[in-house]
Amino acid sequence: MRRLSLILLTIVCVFLAAIAPVRSQRPRDVEQRVNALLAQMTLEEKLGQLQQLDGEGNGNFRPEHLELIRKGLLGSTLNVRGAQRTNQVQRVAMNESRLKIPVLFGFDVIHGYRTIFPIPLAEASSWDPLLAERSAAVAAQEANNVGLRWTFAPMVDIARDPRWGRITEGAGEDPFLGAAFARARVRGFQGVDYSAPDKVLACAKHYVAYGAAEGGRDYNTTDLSENTLREIYFPPFKAAVDAGVGTLMSAFNAINGVPASANAFTLTKVLRDEWKFDGFVVSDYTSVKELINHGVAANEEEAAALALNAGVEMEMVSRSYNTFGPRLLQQNKLTMARIDEAVRRVLRIKFRLGLFDQPYTDEAREPNALLRPESIRLAREIAGRSMVLLKNDREALPLSKSVGSIAVIGSLADDRRAPLGWWAGDGKEENTVTPLAGIKAKVSAQTKVGYAKGCDVKDDSTAGFDEAVNLAKQSDLAILFVGETADMVGEAASRSTLDLPGRQMELVQAIHAVGKPTVVVLVNGRPLSVGWIANNVPAILESWMGGSESGNAIADILFGDVNPSAKLPVTFPRSVGQVPMYYNYMNTGRPPEAENRYTSKYFDMPWTPLFPFGHGLSYTKFKITNLQLSAPRIDANGKLTVSVDVENVGARAGDEVVQLYIRDPVATMTRPVKELKGFQRVSLQPGQKRRVEFVLDREHLGFWNREMRYVVEPGEFRVMVGSSSADVIDARFEVAG
Ligand code: BGC
């Protein structure tokens, strides 16, 4: 008996040891090791840990890096990658530098490293955070195997202005959905222990309000109330911090006159004092030096003092800390305590990453780590769940695989670069399935698939129109691919219009005029104003930029192997003139009314969007009925259960994303007309019905009042449940005083 207990005890101990964090991860241990190391560091070595420099291009380091590392003057690089190369650099740090502090290798692994997943805005359209977690996990696994330990992701900026090209990198316009995706992506990249060999350190960016850039012009200034910051722009960052994100990146923009990279309110008061963040903040690319252009620092020396004192620990690319740190210290413009605190945060993360114990990457693993069959399968699955069926009149879709002939039209049908989108990691065009290839692989052997470009996305030539029109005339149906190229979205890709670029709209009109059944597939990284198409073409699929497997996923949907289930995470305006346009707008004294001129709207166009937030169709039909509340009245700290029946009343199996919104109609401050506070994806067979439940509590019902206190105010609330923000059933309840 005693022997048995002993064996059992041993098994339990071995098991516990196996699941326990590695030695370097134990919090007390980490702090001791950090302090012991810090005590040995010279001022120059300390400042060196706060420096990050860019590589030479193509993943190479610069020769200068090795020299700096040898002297202990460089803590991190960006863009340097490849197991062999990072090991080469690391060997200098571990063998030739005085204190043997490993280098931290960072890179923008935003939606995949080599296997490219849909752009983040598309993944958010799945309304399925678990999918984003799984894609981030694949990205982390691939990245780790090429020597990277840190990704500058997730990008969690809320964006209400589709002119801003970087709307493509985030989860859209809503803080609740954005927070869910922020959490999921942090979990996917970091796992429970980011020292694991298939994980990387994450970085929530761009802190903060970068998405509020005035006019949608990238890098522009922002002017926001603290309420808006706390209720709209902070939540995804707070969610990332709560999920354990190790780092944040300070943004380029100014917030109410104070640049985000010198903003003590956001970086210290909120992030550290309120949210208890204990990792470090890296600046965005040269954003420390850019404080001079902002006009808050006269020179680099002042810029360094402002940024470091505000809470930016690591400086990306510019070298103000290193150059001017010693002088600032002498002049008492910087204290050793602040420098130590910054270095402590950087070292803490390096220890937690296990970098000191495992500084190298196993070079033998790299070739088998990329584009694994299961990763490619997942990319296809996620792409299929990220594409939004915007319109499908008279069941124009799905198409039959045995149709006689198809005209595939538009340069984006045969573009290998566009599906990869912006920040495509090390994704390769040769590993990308185009829509044309996807369609060819899907249809029957007898089906003739013809292709005509028609026109390019950007230029003005219509020389290819005749060929495209003739092809459509000779075919049973036409599938048109129109939208944006990869370089029209992302950083520094703000657009002044949301129209289809070039002559593409005319191409659609010319093909539509042929009179054959026509489907439009949009390939784009931001909402587009495609009113003519919405009014005239029976079927529209929003494919976004769907990653390596985009073409296969599009074909899966067009031909009915996958039933679309995605929903827009962002509003599609009818015209750029309506921007900013978002579903959770504040109530006004004159809410918009179609028939009343003296209400808040434009008189020359309907006040509603082209496609509302949360919109997305399926090949089957769902009914949401029987909304019930667990109580007519709760108190401010109480809980309310909201439930509905969801029924598949169509003929195919499918998923519905059930969305819950609330409204606080009378409060001490104006409140949004709707706020998303819950969503659930439900899979149902034809005829199947399920009860779906949501729980609302204090976290969902409150807001930041005029005294900047989070309060749940008594009174009546409206709760709405439906299949989009514009298609809901509702009920009322009361919060007791
Ligand atoms: C972008 C960041 C990115 C960084 C490093 C900057 O220009 O704003 O999002 O992480 O470059 O590549």
Side-chain angles (χ1 to χ4, degrees):
M1 191 61 201
R2 274 198 35 208
R3 245 185 87 146
L4 189 68
S5 321
L6 216 70
I7 292 171
L8 273 174
L9 192 72
T10 316
I11 293 173
V12 169
C13 288
V14 169
F15 175 73
L16 285 178
I19 61 164
V22 294
R23 220 182 87 77
S24 62
Q25 303 291 296
R26 291 204 189 107
R28 279 245 312 278
D29 249 28
V30 166
E31 296 311 309
Q32 277 166 10
R33 292 176 79 179
V34 167
N35 286 330
L37 188 52
L38 195 61
Q40 301 174 52
M41 294 171 81
T42 64
L43 173 62
E44 283 67 28
E45 284 165 337
K46 289 177 183 175
L47 293 170
Q49 285 307 305
L50 308 183
Q51 180 70 62
Q52 181 183 63
L53 290 176
D54 197 351
E56 198 175 54
N58 282 332
N60 280 321
F61 54 86
R62 294 171 194 269
E64 176 208 15
H65 291 168
L66 302 184
E67 204 37 51
L68 290 170
I69 290 165
R70 215 167 265 131
K71 295 184 186 148
L73 302 180
L74 182 59
S76 174
T77 64
L78 76 149
N79 295 327
V80 176
R81 57 200 186 276
Q84 219 183 354
R85 268 191 226 132
T86 51
N87 283 344
Q88 193 185 339
V89 174
Q90 200 68 295
R91 270 194 291 274
V92 175
M94 302 316 283
N95 300 334
E96 301 176 40
S97 76
R98 193 176 76 91
L99 293 173
K100 308 192 180 349
I101 303 177
V103 177
L104 175 53
F105 299 101
F107 186 51
D108 292 280
V109 183
I110 309 295
H111 53 114
Y113 177 75
R114 178 66 55 78
T115 307
I116 303 301
F117 293 87
I119 52 168
L121 187 65
E123 273 192 356
S125 309
S126 71
W127 291 54
D128 190 347
L130 196 60
L131 290 182
E133 182 175 337
R134 289 167 68 198
S135 81
V138 171
Q141 169 262 316
E142 290 191 348
N144 188 304
N145 279 291
V146 300
L148 295 164
R149 293 291 178 274
W150 186 17
T151 176
F152 306 122
M155 190 281 214
V156 302
D157 293 312
I158 296 298
R160 294 170 149 188
D161 190 332
R163 291 172 296 183
W164 190 52
R166 303 197 79 167
I167 195 171
T168 190
E169 290 174 53
E173 73 187 32
D174 184 71
F176 187 84
L177 188 66
F181 274 85
R183 260 190 302 274
R185 291 193 166 116
V186 169
R187 273 199 304 263
F189 287 127
Q190 294 192 162
V192 286
D193 172 5
Y194 45 76
S195 73
D198 55 354
K199 293 294 168 196
V200 291
L201 174 66
C203 179
K205 71 184 187 185
H206 307 80
Y207 191 61
V208 57
Y210 185 34
E214 209 173 80
R217 286 186 296 281
D218 209 359
Y219 316 120
N220 217 319
T221 197
T222 72
D223 195 357
L224 297 157
S225 71
E226 192 176 328
N227 304 69
T228 304
L229 277 172
R230 289 190 180 274
E231 289 175 21
I232 305 296
Y233 292 93
F234 283 172
F237 288 96
K238 171 75 162 59
V241 170
D242 289 345
V245 75
T247 65
L248 269 77
M249 186 184 290
S250 65
F252 286 126
N253 55 287
I255 308 153
N256 303 330
V258 183
S261 293
N263 199 310
F265 168 67
T266 56
L267 291 168
T268 299
K269 178 165 184 299
V270 175
L271 181 60
R272 290 154 221 249
D273 299 350
E274 292 182 25
W275 300 351
K276 313 290 175 218
F277 173 69
D278 72 353
F280 73 86
V281 171
V282 62
S283 78
D284 204 343
Y285 211 98
T286 63
S287 72
V288 173
K289 195 173 171 184
E290 287 170 26
L291 296 175
I292 302 171
N293 285 345
H294 275 286
V296 296
N299 48 44
E300 266 192 84
E301 191 175 319
E302 282 185 25
L306 279 176
L308 193 46
N309 282 327
V312 177
E313 275 84 24
M314 187 180 277
E315 182 176 4
M316 188 189 281
V317 176
S318 52
R319 300 183 181 197
S320 323
Y321 290 6
N322 271 256
T323 318
F324 299 102
R327 267 241 310 263
L328 288 166
L329 191 66
Q330 265 173 15
Q331 297 168 358
N332 291 328
K333 290 182 179 154
L334 202 58
T335 62
M336 191 57 105
R338 174 62 195 128
I339 296 174
D340 282 352
E341 172 59 14
V343 178
R344 188 174 282 120
R345 284 173 177 267
V346 172
L347 294 178
R348 178 184 292 150
I349 293 296
K350 287 191 174 183
F351 276 112
R352 283 188 191 158
L353 256 174
L355 265 189
F356 287 85
D357 307 316
Q358 302 278 349
Y360 301 111
T361 302
D362 180 354
E363 293 172 25
R365 282 190 337 205
E366 179 173 324
N368 301 323
L370 309 179
L371 291 170
R372 289 183 179 158
E374 64 270 26
S375 307
I376 295 172
R377 270 200 303 277
L378 183 65
R380 182 171 182 165
E381 180 193 333
I382 295 181
R385 285 169 169 257
S386 300
M387 297 180 179
V388 189
L389 184 63
L390 293 176
K391 182 178 176 189
N392 194 23
D393 277 4
R394 280 166 274 115
E395 298 187 3
L397 289 175
L399 305 169
S400 156
K401 289 177 200 168
S402 52
V403 60
S405 55
I406 303 176
V408 177
I409 295 169
S411 62
L412 289 167
D414 199 26
D415 183 332
R416 285 173 184 273
R417 184 65 191 84
L420 301 180
W422 182 253
W423 295 123
D426 263 342
K428 303 251 183 274
E429 292 185 21
E430 66 258 32
N431 304 128
T432 307
V433 182
T434 63
L436 182 60
I439 291 170
K440 282 184 174 161
K442 180 68 74 179
V443 293
S444 74
Q446 293 73 43
T447 305
K448 257 179 61 194
V449 179
Y451 170 68
K453 181 171 87 168
C455 62
D456 280 312
V457 170
K458 287 180 189 164
D459 74 28
D460 240 7
S461 168
T462 55
F465 274 31
D466 286 349
E467 185 200 358
V469 166
N470 286 335
L471 179 67
K473 282 182 179 156
Q474 290 152 25
S475 308
D476 296 328
L477 59 94
I479 310 176
L480 270 148
F481 288 83
V482 289
E484 302 175 298
T485 52
D487 62 344
M488 298 183 83
V489 295
E491 188 175 345
S494 301
R495 291 185 61 203
S496 64
T497 147
L498 302 175
D499 296 341
L500 281 178
R503 310 301 284 268
Q504 295 180 98
M505 188 58 93
E506 288 158 75
L507 178 66
V508 177
Q509 289 163 344
I511 302 302
H512 179 259
V514 172
K516 295 288 172 72
T518 300
V519 176
V520 166
V521 180
L522 298 173
V523 178
N524 50 312
R526 58 156 66 73
L528 294 176
S529 298
V530 286
W532 192 90
I533 299 176
N535 289 332
N536 293 282
V537 177
I540 310 172
L541 178 68
E542 172 55 88
S543 80
W544 300 116
M545 292 175 166
S548 309
E549 284 291 299
S550 191
N552 282 331
I554 289 171
D556 287 342
I557 291 178
L558 291 179
F559 295 92
D561 287 340
V562 166
N563 188 353
S565 56
K567 304 273 184 177
L568 294 178
V570 65
T571 302
F572 273 45
R574 293 172 192 273
S575 148
V576 72
Q578 290 178 308
V579 171
M581 186 178 219
Y582 42 88
Y583 84 95
N584 50 352
Y585 60 90
M586 284 292 175
N587 197 22
T588 69
R590 297 194 177 186
E593 274 174 45
E595 300 308 321
N596 186 349
R597 181 180 175 122
Y598 295 94
T599 60
S600 177
K601 61 176 187 186
Y602 298 97
F603 75 76
D604 54 0
M605 90 171 17
W607 65 271
T608 52
L610 184 62
F611 296 111
F613 176 83
H615 168 76
L617 304 173
S618 161
Y619 293 154
T620 188
K621 286 218 162 11
F622 297 98
K623 250 168 72 184
I624 298 176
T625 53
N626 195 15
L627 171 57
Q628 286 190 353
L629 310 182
S630 57
R633 199 165 200 249
I634 57 168
D635 61 39
N637 291 317
K639 284 189 193 312
L640 182 80
T641 303
V642 180
S643 52
V644 290
D645 285 334
V646 188
E647 187 178 0
N648 182 346
V649 294
R652 282 170 184 263
D655 285 11
E656 174 65 301
V657 177
V658 185
Q659 304 159 37
L660 178 143
Y661 299 87
I662 63 149
R663 178 172 183 176
D664 184 352
V666 183
T668 53
M669 294 181 74
T670 57
R671 300 300 305 148
V673 297
K674 263 178 204 138
E675 294 176 84
L676 182 73
K677 295 296 175 184
F679 58 90
Q680 277 180 50
R681 183 182 260 273
V682 194
S683 303
L684 294 172
Q685 294 300 316
Q688 198 186 349
K689 179 152 102 176
R690 268 241 294 275
R691 193 95 190 127
V692 174
E693 273 189 12
F694 299 91
V695 177
L696 290 177
D697 62 25
R698 185 177 168 76
E699 202 191 312
H700 306 103
L701 301 175
F703 66 93
W704 291 84
N705 73 3
R706 275 181 268 182
E707 287 78 46
M708 276 312 125
R709 273 188 309 118
Y710 184 82
V711 290
V712 177
E713 291 188 344
E716 191 184 71
F717 279 75
R718 232 180 115 191
V719 57
M720 295 155 270
V721 183
S723 61
S724 97
S725 65
D727 179 14
V728 293
I729 51 175
D730 74 337
R732 279 156 209 271
F733 66 94
E734 208 184 304
V735 171

